[in-house]
Amino acid sequence: MTSEPEQQIGVGTQDAFQRLWTPHRMAYIQGENKPSGPGADDGCPFCSIPAKSDEDGLVVRRGEHVYAVLNLYPYNGGHLMTVPYRHVADYTELTAVETAELAELTKQAMTALRTASGAHGFNIGMNQGSVAGAGIAAHLHQHVVPRWGGDTNFMPVVGHTKVLPQLLGDTRKMLAEAWPSAE
């Protein structure tokens, strides 16, 4: 069943395209939840998340030195980050224990995402410094982005929009349940 395109009033012209609005992205674009400075007491969300409940903070797993949390502005459904509790900006500032736990939680995140959603592959990485694309450069975090064959469809290319099939709270619960036991 097709519907007639609605006439657009004001900016835009009738063009037979339906619009998919993502107003929640404005919070990210406008810098909501961004720290006011580089210190741990400057509003760093990665420092405040551990004090919240897992559900409120979207925490999927807590380790001794590192935790795994869903990205509030995900590139794909299930996009996680592994984050040290300690407020450090650079990978070279991590202790050997923190580095090992960051790696272990990343491996566990991959296993959980494969179990829960059948991810075919992953983009894993860190953006070190704002010039390298770090949205919050003052607190190190590693992205774990699940990928599936064919997930680069027309929506991001043409519509500059990601379609996420699940609420973040539901994704957090699913991944927490699929998280492997520590070995």
Side-chain angles (χ1 to χ4, degrees):
M1 179 173 171
T2 59
S3 61
E4 291 295 316
E6 293 181 25
Q7 173 114 21
Q8 294 189 20
I9 308 299
V11 177
T13 59
Q14 185 174 349
D15 57 10
F17 284 105
Q18 295 295 318
R19 302 290 184 248
L20 180 62
W21 301 102
T22 56
H24 64 280
R25 294 287 300 163
M26 283 308 294
Y28 179 75
I29 292 166
Q30 294 174 339
E32 186 176 301
N33 297 323
K34 284 228 178 173
S36 59
D41 296 329
D42 291 330
C44 176
F46 295 134
C47 288
S48 65
I49 287 170
K52 298 177 181 180
S53 70
D54 289 353
E55 292 77 14
D56 290 341
L58 298 174
V59 175
V60 179
R61 176 63 99 209
R62 293 175 191 262
E64 189 175 337
H65 304 282
V66 178
Y67 66 96
V69 62
L70 282 176
N71 190 322
L72 192 55
Y73 309 104
Y75 299 137
N76 261 351
H79 178 172
L80 293 166
M81 294 175 291
T82 51
V83 185
Y85 291 109
R86 194 164 59 92
H87 187 87
V88 297
D90 197 88
Y91 187 66
T92 61
E93 296 176 51
L94 291 179
T95 66
V97 172
E98 289 168 327
T99 302
E101 191 169 79
L102 186 85
E104 184 58 33
L105 280 183
T106 298
K107 287 171 45 178
Q108 291 175 8
M110 292 172 66
T111 299
L113 284 160
R114 283 189 180 119
T115 300
S117 66
H120 298 148
F122 298 89
N123 293 115
I124 296 174
M126 298 178 204
N127 300 322
Q128 293 283 272
S130 58
V131 297
I136 299 175
H139 197 131
L140 179 84
H141 54 284
Q142 178 163 263
H143 295 266
V144 181
V145 183
R147 302 301 302 267
W148 296 268
D151 71 359
T152 54
N153 61 35
F154 74 95
M155 289 299 289
V157 175
V158 175
H160 304 287
T161 302
K162 281 286 188 179
V163 178
L164 301 175
Q166 192 173 47
L167 295 173
L168 290 175
D170 295 339
T171 302
R172 191 217 65 81
K173 185 175 188 281
M174 178 183 72
L175 290 174
E177 290 171 356
W179 203 271
S181 299
E183 295 180 24

